[in-house]
Amino acid sequence: MKKIICLPAIVFLIICVNYCFAQPPATKQIVFYTWKEYIDKSILEDFEKQFDIKVILKEYETRDMMLSEVQSESEQFDVILATDITVPLLIKYRLLAELDLTKIPNRKFIKKQFQNLPLDPDNKYSLAGYLWAFTGLAVNTDFVKENIDSWSALWDKKYKGKIALMDDCHEAMAAVLKYSNFSINTTDHNELAIAEKNAVSLKENEVQFNNTFENIEKVMDGRLWIAQTYNGDFVYKAENITNIRFILPREGVSLTVDNFVISVDSRNKNEAHQFINFLMSPANAARSSTTFFYPTVIEADYLIGKELLKNPVAYPPVKIFRIGNFPEDIGSTESEYVRIFNLLKQKQDNRVSNE
Amino acid sequence: MNKKHFYHLVDPRRSLYLKVSIFFLAGVIVPLSLVFFIHYINISKQTHLLIKQDMANLTGELGRIVEDKILDATKQITLLATSQTMQSDTAPAEEKLTLMRKFCDLFRVFNNITLIDVDGIVQTAVKYDFVGDWKYKKWFKSALDGNIAVSPVHIIMPSEKFVITVTSPITALDDKAKAVVAGQISMEKIWEITDRVKFGKSGFAFITDDNAKILCFPDKDKILRKLTPLKLQNKLYSDKSGFIEFSDEHNISKVCFYSTLNSEKQPYGQNWRIGIIQDKHESYAIVDKITIHTIIMATGCIFLMAVLVVIFGRTVIKPIMAIMHTMTEIANGNLETMVQVDSRDELGQLAESFNKMVGNLRISTTSIENLNYEITERKRAEENMKELNSELEQAVKKLEETNQELKNFVYIASHDLREPLRKISAFGSMVQKSLSGKIDGDDAENLNFMIDGANRMTKMIEGLLLYSRVSSKAHFAEVVDLNDIVKEIGQLELSVLLEEKHTTIDVPVPLPEVDADPVQIRQLLQNLIANGMKYQAKDNVPHITLTSQPAANGMVRINITDNGIGIKPEFQQAIFVMFKRLHSKNEYEGTGIGLAVCKKIVEKNGGQIGVESEFGKGSTFWFTVPLAGKSAGIGEEAAIAVRSV
């Protein structure tokens, strides 16, 4: 009799032990590396639910940070949202896996002007499939009374010490070059010499370097009066604040597109493709655009609120494509850009250390 | 028989050659091959070990060189960082840059030297490379913490050069870093070392970092990409050192030996793997050579064994086969066969004994053979005789048949002819009587001739009929008294003739009784007596004497002696032949049948007939006939005697 009772008990015990020690089925996961506060977490949750793939989010604040991180630990990331200028670098650093475009059918929704961009025209490694942006100037109207419509305001002695550029070689140099009425992708050494002179005069005007959010915040609280920011971030941070304005400088701006890339060392390339495709669906693109006030490259305007579409900072007029440039590969001239950018920052440092 | 034996000879199951070959194979070649195989495995193992040792030595040496190169660079950058100029806060940037440039020229390992402040801003640099923001670089942060740091291999822009950055802090008096000196070691300087390594023709060295990314490789396109194939990668990062065989992307078999750089010595703590990859076929060339040598030696030995088998076959199997062949021949009856074995060993003795045995067998077989031959010959003769006899019998039978037919014909012909002839004779006589006197001399004579011819013909036919009757009629033998018959003939058949010629028949001694057909014997005596009377000279009185004398075999000889003209000796045999006449019919009339009939009768009664005569002095016709009471046996014997002749 006892044995008969024992048997089910043992069976139950075994089942319990098995249940406790049984490893849960290894759910697949991908690591998504993107700009800080640049993805709607609810979209990630939807993706996790729909595909049973866990998404680990990692964020960077500057392009250099992203480049350094990916360079030193490429196997940690699967999908990376790389700003256009970093794509050729990542390619040259041999950090990117080739894309299998057949696994991204949603690429058909990409707007024409964002298809086959100059830095990776064949979309071998990258696909512009998220949002796009441009840099302009955030202005505190409490301190700046005149109507500003040009980069030249940064060179104005009136605002000495109250100005800032983005702590980004490409964007800072774009400001200097646009002010000098040159292309942001110039490789002309004479033009660069002029740009260097202008950089020196800008440094004399005590320009500061911060990331885009710091710039906006500092303009908002008056520590800075005029600062370079991304359009979307401005809308996101300061949409309803009346004393600051966003200026689209008339000389032109640098346009930036976010590109999806996959790390060469990703162990979940299939899932990475699935994730990219998911984010590129018009519905999700519209959600991202609505959340972060940046225009999307996806044909999804019909899903976006009219209010946002009418906002000239978030959705600038079409002329932006005339006055704005997408970055191009400038080859070895890059070192000149770096040198001038360093020059700009050095002066600032000297000033700080002197204090 | 021959075929069957031949079959046995070539039947593989029974082939002695095959068995011997298998024995050799099993007993010699297999163990020999095994020895070779074990020897080969040992040698190839040893060779593999040697190759691995070589590779291990090389990778160890290479590792030390590369390590030293990097360590030297860190020492040099530290030297720079601790120099007075760099330490000085007051020295102008240009002075520092000049020193940095001098360092670059002095230590060619450096591609670039950069001076960075604590915020990551480049203060001065030999080259303004795009390396991104220094403050995010681990090696920069590590240097800020007071360490000498070494970066992983990375690419700098825009030159796209592969470099390792070594950083050293410039420390202030309070031991805190106030700036960082970063030196870029160009990977080309390390490749100069690794690319120079040659291991055989195809062997080359490579280095991978702890993420299996290639740092040094002859194909520069592979730098900073993951090591392939995955099999090699997994092996490299599962053990600290080892040996692996794999196939590359072109499906070429390769071997790889690798070891890990001694990470304790490394300030940067990276588990670099240094390895050597070589084509498998080249790496194993020595082993292949050994394999070939082993195969050649083994083949040679096997060939030698085969030669031995052939020689063995010649010396041992061949005599056995010869004996076997001979035995087969003998079994087939060919006793002339001999075994030819020249050797003096046991087999030679065996062959000799065998030959002796065959010799004995031959002698005993020869006598039997002779006997056999005689028997066979006799049998053959008998066979022949039987054949002849049967042929003869058949011939006799045919002859008898023919004879019988002839007899029948003669009988029928003479019997049927007699009637018309008699009519001719009878009517002829009637015509003669009625015409007598009416016809003249010639016509009467002609008519006479005609009647005479008819009469003669009747007689001839009667003779023939008699003859045929004698030969065709059955023989009824009974005791006959010859004296009575002679008396009766004289009184009846020949009475007219006897009277006419005044003949006397003399029987001086009574004749014995005989066993014969009384009718035929009467005819016989009548013919012979009439014959004696007929052939007489003109005007001679015939005188016939009958005598008897005993003859052999229970026979009696009857002699009928006349005093006639006699017969010349050359005609004495011919007279018994039918129609044979010695004289013309004008001399002595007759049909020529009488004596033939006599001969027939005598023969029919088992006796013989003959004549003894002297020309002109008379003849004695004789015949033999069985004595009464002895006929049975005698008749048979006589019959046999007749046949055998």
Side-chain angles (χ1 to χ4, degrees):
Chain A
M1 234 1 231
K2 272 183 184 174
K3 278 182 185 171
I4 295 166
I5 298 166
C6 273
L7 199 68
I10 289 166
V11 170
F12 180 73
L13 201 73
I14 288 167
I15 290 167
C16 285
V17 168
N18 267 345
Y19 187 78
C20 294
F21 284 89
Q23 290 182 340
T27 45
K28 294 199 168 171
Q29 64 170 48
I30 53 165
V31 177
F32 181 43
Y33 196 35
T34 183
W35 284 95
K36 193 178 178 183
E37 288 177 47
Y38 204 47
I39 184 76
D40 187 344
K41 293 202 171 84
S42 69
I43 296 176
L44 300 186
E45 281 161 17
D46 287 355
F47 177 75
E48 285 177 340
K49 271 181 212 162
Q50 195 174 329
F51 293 94
D52 197 23
I53 298 167
K54 193 169 162 40
V55 181
I56 294 167
L57 186 64
K58 291 199 174 178
E59 295 173 319
Y60 60 84
E61 290 174 25
T62 65
R63 289 170 184 165
D64 285 332
M65 182 181 170
M66 183 271 280
L67 283 173
S68 297
E69 288 290 315
V70 175
Q71 219 175 349
S72 51
E73 283 165 310
S74 59
E75 60 282 343
Q76 279 197 5
F77 308 106
D78 294 300
V79 180
I80 301 159
L81 193 69
T83 311
D84 42 21
I85 190 69
T86 60
V87 170
L89 286 175
L90 288 168
I91 294 170
K92 280 171 186 165
Y93 290 165
R94 304 183 174 185
L95 292 169
L96 298 188
E98 287 187 24
L99 294 180
D100 183 354
L101 293 177
T102 59
K103 289 180 180 168
I104 312 172
N106 283 345
R107 71 181 192 280
K108 69 185 173 205
F109 296 117
I110 298 172
K111 284 178 181 166
K112 254 196 180 157
Q113 59 266 44
F114 298 101
Q115 283 174 2
N116 311 105
L117 292 170
L119 289 176
D120 183 19
D122 297 329
N123 295 119
K124 199 175 174 190
Y125 296 98
S126 63
L127 195 58
Y130 195 55
L131 305 172
W132 65 278
F134 60 93
T135 53
L137 292 171
V139 180
N140 189 319
T141 48
D142 289 347
F143 302 101
V144 182
K145 298 291 180 193
E146 61 182 322
N147 259 345
I148 290 168
D149 65 342
S150 161
W151 293 106
S152 61
L154 296 171
W155 276 260
D156 195 329
K157 300 285 180 198
K158 283 188 286 200
Y159 311 125
K160 186 178 180 179
K162 296 291 177 190
I163 53 168
L165 285 177
M166 278 164 62
D167 188 4
D168 180 299
C169 176
H170 173 72
E171 295 298 352
M173 283 303 291
V176 174
L177 286 168
K178 278 292 171 191
Y179 165 75
S180 318
N181 280 320
F182 301 137
S183 160
I184 63 162
N185 297 313
T186 184
T187 52
D188 189 322
H189 285 277
N190 296 329
E191 288 183 2
L192 282 170
I194 295 163
E196 190 180 343
K197 271 184 196 165
N198 288 333
V200 171
S201 59
L202 184 60
K203 138 211 99 180
E204 282 164 2
N205 218 20
E206 294 177 10
V207 67
Q208 295 179 28
F209 291 91
N210 302 297
N211 71 36
T212 174
F213 285 116
E214 286 170 348
N215 276 350
I216 295 161
E217 279 161 17
K218 283 182 178 174
V219 172
M220 272 157 57
D221 60 25
R223 277 182 285 169
L224 289 174
W225 295 350
I226 303 166
Q228 186 187 22
T229 70
Y230 280 125
N231 60 330
D233 292 341
F234 179 86
V235 182
Y236 183 64
K237 284 273 180 189
E239 175 62 12
N240 296 317
I241 296 166
T242 49
N243 64 335
I244 58 173
R245 281 177 60 214
F246 185 84
I247 303 296
L248 179 63
R250 66 171 192 279
E251 296 94 343
V253 288
S254 132
L255 303 179
T256 297
V257 185
D258 299 312
N259 287 266
F260 287 117
V261 295
I262 295 175
S263 164
V264 72
D265 296 317
S266 163
R267 290 188 183 87
N268 308 300
K269 293 199 172 76
N270 240 346
E271 292 72 20
H273 281 92
Q274 270 180 323
F275 181 68
I276 292 168
N277 192 53
F278 182 78
L279 290 182
M280 282 171 68
S281 75
N284 289 326
R287 275 167 82 183
S288 300
S289 180
T290 314
T291 311
F292 299 107
F293 307 105
Y294 276 105
T296 176
V297 299
I298 300 294
E299 207 71 76
D301 291 357
Y302 61 98
L303 295 167
I304 297 166
K306 275 182 184 169
E307 206 181 320
L308 183 62
L309 286 174
K310 279 178 184 169
N311 186 324
V313 181
Y315 277 82
V318 189
K319 73 163 184 183
I320 188 111
F321 294 110
R322 272 205 319 276
I323 61 168
N325 301 106
F326 285 110
E328 287 162 23
D329 193 352
I330 51 172
S332 62
T333 323
E334 182 89 38
S335 60
E336 276 298 291
Y337 281 51
V338 171
R339 192 180 58 76
I340 296 166
F341 178 58
N342 248 306
L343 198 67
L344 268 167
K345 287 178 86 178
Q346 270 175 19
K347 287 294 172 187
Q348 186 198 25
D349 273 330
N350 286 345
R351 188 184 61 80
V352 170
S353 63
N354 286 343
E355 278 178 356
Chain B
M1 277 296 271
N2 271 333
K3 261 190 178 175
K4 200 179 174 189
H5 277 280
F6 181 69
Y7 173 70
H8 284 323
L9 285 175
V10 296
D11 183 359
R13 283 168 300 169
R14 299 185 185 202
S15 167
L16 201 58
Y17 264 120
L18 197 77
K19 278 176 189 166
V20 169
S21 308
I22 289 167
F23 167 77
F24 262 86
L25 223 88
V28 182
I29 293 171
V30 170
L32 199 76
S33 308
L34 244 141
V35 167
F36 272 120
F37 185 65
I38 291 164
H39 179 68
Y40 162 69
I41 285 177
N42 275 337
I43 286 185
S44 42
K45 252 189 190 172
Q46 289 289 328
T47 317
H48 276 185
L49 275 178
L50 280 173
I51 292 167
K52 283 182 196 173
Q53 196 61 49
D54 271 9
M55 282 186 162
N57 290 342
L58 198 60
T59 53
E61 193 61 35
L62 190 64
R64 270 189 291 283
I65 293 169
V66 171
E67 217 169 33
D68 287 350
K69 195 97 180 171
I70 296 166
L71 281 173
D72 284 351
T74 56
K75 279 175 195 161
Q76 285 150 16
I77 211 77
T78 313
L79 190 70
L80 180 66
T82 50
S83 70
Q84 261 193 353
T85 316
M86 299 306 278
Q87 289 277 347
S88 161
D89 293 334
T90 51
E94 283 72 25
E95 197 180 324
K96 290 179 181 175
L97 182 62
T98 313
L99 182 66
M100 279 149 59
R101 282 202 173 117
K102 270 184 189 166
F103 244 79
C104 268
D105 291 338
L106 190 62
F107 303 109
R108 295 209 158 266
V109 70
F110 291 116
N111 176 54
N112 186 11
I113 295 173
T114 314
L115 179 66
I116 312 130
D117 70 12
V118 285
D119 296 321
I121 310 292
V122 176
Q123 291 191 329
T124 183
V126 176
K127 290 175 195 166
Y128 277 89
D129 291 321
F130 179 75
V131 295
D133 202 329
W134 279 95
K135 62 177 179 262
Y136 298 114
K137 310 289 181 194
K138 279 183 183 172
W139 46 96
F140 174 75
K141 288 183 204 164
S142 180
L144 275 187
D145 294 340
N147 302 315
I148 296 159
V150 180
S151 79
V153 176
H154 55 102
I155 303 170
I156 46 150
M157 291 291 155
S159 58
E160 289 186 48
K161 276 190 173 166
F162 294 88
V163 294
I164 296 172
T165 306
V166 287
T167 50
S168 179
I170 298 172
T171 47
L173 290 173
D174 57 357
D175 266 359
K176 276 190 181 169
K178 58 179 180 183
V180 171
V181 178
Q184 287 171 354
I185 306 171
S186 170
M187 282 306 284
E188 279 159 15
K189 299 290 172 192
I190 291 172
W191 294 341
E192 275 172 18
I193 303 164
T194 57
D195 288 354
R196 217 176 286 158
V197 172
K198 290 277 176 241
F199 197 80
K201 276 180 190 169
S202 63
F204 61 87
F206 70 92
I207 299 177
T208 55
D209 71 4
D210 55 344
N211 286 324
K213 290 206 172 176
I214 294 167
L215 306 181
C216 302
F217 208 86
D219 180 4
K220 296 294 173 279
D221 202 40
K222 288 186 185 259
I223 304 296
L224 279 189
R225 301 198 196 280
K226 288 252 175 167
L227 184 66
T228 53
L230 204 62
K231 185 188 171 190
L232 177 65
Q233 197 190 107
N234 291 341
K235 171 72 179 165
L236 244 64
Y237 291 89
S238 58
D239 296 318
K240 284 232 158 193
S241 67
F243 183 79
I244 182 180
E245 291 178 13
F246 66 98
S247 298
D248 70 358
E249 61 265 41
H250 306 299
N251 223 5
I252 298 167
S253 290
K254 305 256 184 187
V255 292
C256 168
F257 185 87
Y258 68 93
S259 57
T260 307
L261 234 79
N262 189 359
S263 53
E264 284 168 25
K265 279 169 108 183
Q266 296 170 32
Y268 39 95
Q270 287 160 330
N271 287 318
W272 285 12
R273 299 293 198 269
I274 295 198
I276 286 171
I277 292 176
Q278 194 179 25
D279 279 1
K280 189 181 170 185
H281 76 86
E282 196 198 338
S283 174
Y284 285 4
I286 299 165
V287 181
D288 288 347
K289 224 179 209 174
I290 292 167
T291 311
I292 289 164
H293 284 177
T294 312
I295 287 169
I296 288 169
M297 274 166 78
T299 315
C301 282
I302 289 165
F303 180 73
L304 205 71
M305 286 297 118
V307 169
L308 279 178
V309 169
V310 170
I311 292 167
F312 182 81
R314 272 182 180 280
T315 53
V316 177
I317 299 168
K318 211 180 167 188
I320 293 173
M321 296 294 265
I323 291 170
M324 212 170 90
H325 274 291
T326 314
M327 284 174 96
T328 315
E329 284 289 300
I330 288 161
N332 288 340
N334 188 2
L335 284 179
E336 294 305 309
T337 326
M338 292 274 280
V339 184
Q340 277 197 337
V341 175
D342 302 328
S343 64
R344 294 221 153 269
D345 56 10
E346 288 85 342
L347 278 168
Q349 287 169 19
L350 177 70
E352 214 167 280
S353 309
F354 183 77
N355 281 344
K356 233 177 244 175
M357 192 190 79
V358 174
N360 291 341
L361 195 65
R362 196 181 303 141
I363 292 161
S364 58
T365 315
T366 315
S367 50
I368 295 169
E369 222 168 49
N370 288 345
L371 208 62
N372 275 346
Y373 179 75
E374 276 175 22
I375 290 167
T376 318
E377 283 299 299
R378 197 167 294 175
K379 273 188 181 168
R380 198 176 297 150
E382 268 177 19
E383 292 278 317
N384 284 349
M385 201 124 95
K386 265 187 191 169
E387 260 175 43
L388 275 175
N389 267 352
S390 75
E391 274 172 22
L392 204 64
E393 265 172 24
Q394 277 179 348
V396 167
K397 212 175 168 186
K398 245 183 209 172
L399 215 59
E400 275 175 356
E401 280 170 11
T402 319
N403 224 8
Q404 194 59 44
E405 279 169 15
L406 203 65
K407 279 173 193 165
N408 292 342
F409 166 72
V410 170
Y411 180 77
I412 292 161
S414 45
H415 190 270
D416 291 350
L417 283 172
R418 203 166 49 163
E419 190 55 33
L421 274 175
R422 202 177 282 154
K423 277 180 181 165
I424 293 169
S425 172
F427 287 105
S429 297
M430 283 165 72
V431 169
Q432 196 175 33
K433 267 177 199 170
S434 63
L435 287 178
S436 71
K438 287 180 190 171
I439 50 171
D440 53 5
D442 276 354
D443 291 332
E445 201 178 346
N446 286 344
L447 189 62
N448 238 0
F449 281 145
M450 193 189 79
I451 294 164
D452 186 46
N455 284 339
R456 245 179 335 115
M457 190 132 179
T458 308
K459 276 181 190 166
M460 272 172 76
I461 285 169
E462 275 173 351
L464 271 175
L465 201 57
L466 187 67
Y467 180 86
S468 76
R469 210 175 275 148
V470 170
S471 31
S472 62
K473 275 198 178 156
H475 172 65
F476 301 107
E478 61 188 69
V479 179
V480 179
D481 189 348
L482 292 176
N483 298 306
D484 291 350
I485 289 174
V486 172
K487 209 180 271 176
E488 281 172 22
I489 291 168
Q491 289 166 356
L492 297 171
E493 284 96 335
L494 294 175
S495 59
V496 181
L497 203 62
L498 283 170
E499 242 174 80
E500 215 174 82
K501 297 216 174 180
H502 314 288
T503 309
T504 55
I505 299 171
D506 194 12
V507 184
V509 182
L511 297 168
E513 284 184 341
V514 296
D515 235 350
D517 186 329
V519 180
Q520 287 181 358
I521 208 86
R522 191 187 188 99
Q523 183 74 48
L524 172 66
L525 284 171
Q526 184 193 330
N527 278 8
L528 286 175
I529 291 165
N531 208 47
M533 286 160 63
K534 197 194 291 177
Y535 297 97
Q536 291 286 339
K538 269 190 181 164
D539 308 321
N540 195 18
V541 176
H543 182 77
I544 311 290
T545 310
L546 280 89
T547 57
S548 68
Q549 64 185 83
N553 299 327
M555 304 285 279
V556 69
R557 171 168 157 162
I558 310 294
N559 300 311
I560 298 104
T561 312
D562 64 63
N563 56 343
I565 49 172
I567 307 159
K568 285 179 182 170
E570 61 264 36
F571 301 123
Q572 284 177 9
Q573 282 297 315
I575 53 171
F576 295 105
V577 176
M578 175 95 75
F579 303 121
K580 192 75 187 180
R581 288 172 56 92
L582 300 179
H583 312 280
S584 67
K585 73 176 183 201
N586 295 328
E587 262 179 291
Y588 300 102
E589 66 167 324
T591 54
I593 296 170
L595 279 173
V597 170
C598 289
K599 190 171 188 258
K600 198 79 194 175
I601 290 167
V602 171
E603 283 170 1
K604 204 79 171 163
N605 284 281
Q608 285 176 313
I609 195 166
V611 66
E612 289 163 4
S613 178
E614 201 177 328
F615 188 68
K617 284 188 180 174
S619 316
T620 299
F621 285 87
W622 60 266
F623 67 91
T624 59
V625 68
L627 271 167
K630 293 181 180 175
S631 63
I634 294 159
E636 293 263 318
E637 266 182 34
I640 289 169
V642 169
R643 280 183 177 180
S644 65
V645 169

